[in-house]
Amino acid sequence: MEILFTILSILLVIDAVLLIIIVLMQKTKGAEIGAIFGSGAAAAVLGAGASNILTKITYWLGGIFLFLVFALSYIHHKSVTSGSVVTDIPVQQAPVEKQQEQTK
């Protein structure tokens, strides 16, 4: 289970980096800051429909990101051994002699 958690964590980091790059490559409606990070190059390589392709890639990477986060959360929840802080408190038993004296 630990190796699956590690693999999914690595995939999550890769997905997050790709998602950041794809979002920065998209054209903005405001100051066109996307051109600084290669938005023009993406349009040249991918053609006129580059914004549609980048939008679809963004949706897919976002969905994969959410799936990986939920999967990691589920795996972590199953790997936790103690269910509550109260169950970790050791129970102190009074010695038998003191219990007998208290009942008299």
Side-chain angles (χ1 to χ4, degrees):
M1 197 61 104
E2 189 69 29
I3 193 154
L4 180 63
F5 190 81
T6 304
I7 291 171
L8 289 179
S9 297
I10 292 170
L11 288 175
L12 182 68
V13 170
I14 292 170
D15 185 47
V17 169
L18 288 174
L19 191 58
I20 290 169
I21 292 170
I22 294 295
V23 167
L24 289 176
M25 286 176 60
Q26 293 180 8
K27 287 188 177 183
T28 59
K29 293 183 181 181
E32 296 293 332
I33 195 164
I36 295 172
F37 298 106
S39 178
V45 172
L46 299 173
S51 62
N52 291 337
I53 292 172
L54 292 177
T55 304
K56 289 179 184 178
I57 292 172
T58 304
Y59 288 143
W60 277 101
L61 287 175
I64 292 169
F65 184 85
L66 286 175
F67 171 76
L68 289 173
V69 168
F70 286 134
L72 286 169
S73 174
Y74 180 76
I75 291 171
H76 177 70
H77 177 71
K78 290 295 181 183
S79 67
V80 174
T81 56
S82 66
S84 172
V85 176
V86 178
T87 59
D88 294 339
I89 298 174
V91 178
Q92 294 181 354
Q93 303 247 345
V96 176
E97 296 172 2
K98 287 186 180 180
Q99 286 179 353
Q100 290 174 355
E101 290 176 9
Q102 291 175 355
T103 56
K104 291 182 181 179

